[in-house]
Amino acid sequence: MTSATGTVGRLVRESVKLDRSGVELGFAVRCTIGVAIPLVLALLAGQPLAGVSAAFGAMSAGFASRQGVYRTRALGMLVTTLGMAVSGFIGCHTGAEPAANVILTVLWGLLLGLLGALGSTATVVGINSVLALIVFSHPPYDPAVALAQAGFVLAGGVLQTVLLVLVWPLQRFSGERRVLAAAYRALAAYAGHLPEAKLASPATAELTSVGTALADPQPFARRSELAAFEDLLDEAERIRAGLGALATDRHHLAARGRDGAAEAVR
């Protein structure tokens, strides 16, 4: 009973704990603006339903913008929006047919499971496409209205993507700086506690993240700026190789010292 109570208490504490490192104010502001613009414009035009559809596309595209780096991020947003528009258009036509709706939902769910094997971006595309199918399948529309609603969803996602691209020149490589800083911190932590009794290789995941970020460079960056980050990555790789060799030598020397002490005791 005490163990169960402790487990529940730990789960509650973990669920209410705020991880401030995951809070991105700029991301929240940009996504909020992307959702608010279609709502306000549609309200002024007397077409609130169109605004809701466009805001739905903008909101989902905003969530999709957490994946990728630059071009891959924008592409993920556009593919997510396109998948939602197509799913919403189909859902609009099957809303009045429960059997067809159930079959399509099952097929879309299967597709989501298959897309999950392709990575996090594909998973986001699949989840939002299924949501669009479910949301738009409730009120049946005639073909013209269905096409219009799908277009509004697509327009909202495109708007959110445009807002993302517009802020790229204002971001002074914050993403690249963040992953490089994490890589060098990991190397510093390894250097500060070189393994002696048990071999362990220097950090690789952090350097992989840097390579991924630099493989998808900012379209507005100058070549000289990108070269500086590539040089820092090369230097980090050299440091990692040196630390690995140093840790290996230290391990062998320590093992040889222990073996010599054991022979002396005999």
Side-chain angles (χ1 to χ4, degrees), residues 52-180:
V52 171
S53 298
F56 182 42
M59 180 181 66
S60 299
F63 287 128
S65 68
R66 300 299 296 266
Q67 312 297 324
V69 186
Y70 288 107
R71 292 178 177 88
T72 51
R73 179 177 296 189
L75 179 61
M77 295 172 69
L78 293 175
V79 173
T80 297
T81 307
L82 181 60
M84 292 178 60
V86 172
S87 298
F89 178 75
I90 295 174
C92 289
H93 289 287
T94 61
E97 301 293 338
N101 227 11
V102 171
I103 293 173
L104 278 174
T105 303
V106 171
L107 291 176
W108 256 240
L110 176 62
L111 178 62
L112 168 61
L114 294 175
L115 287 177
L118 300 179
S120 56
T121 300
T123 300
V124 171
V125 174
I127 290 175
N128 286 284
S129 297
V130 172
L131 286 176
L133 177 70
I134 295 172
V135 169
F136 286 95
S137 63
H138 287 288
Y141 299 99
D142 60 63
V145 176
L147 183 62
Q149 294 304 315
F152 291 135
V153 171
L154 186 61
V158 171
L159 171 64
Q160 191 71 269
T161 306
V162 170
L163 292 178
L164 171 71
V165 174
L166 288 177
V167 301
W168 282 347
L170 305 178
Q171 296 175 335
R172 298 306 301 163
F173 306 102
S174 58
E176 291 86 345
R177 295 174 189 273
R178 183 173 61 253
V179 292
L180 269 170

Side-chain angles (χ1 to χ4, degrees), residues 15-16 58 110 122 124 159 174 179 201 226 234 239 258:
S15 63
V16 299
L110 176 62
V124 171
L159 171 64
S174 58
V179 292
S201 62
L226 297 177
D234 292 340
I239 293 173
R258 289 193 295 269

Side-chain angles (χ1 to χ4, degrees), residues 236-259:
E237 293 283 6
R238 286 192 289 269
I239 293 173
R240 179 182 180 277
L243 288 174
L246 181 60
T248 301
D249 292 342
R250 182 176 181 179
H251 173 76
H252 290 325
L253 288 173
R256 190 174 303 169
R258 289 193 295 269
D259 293 341

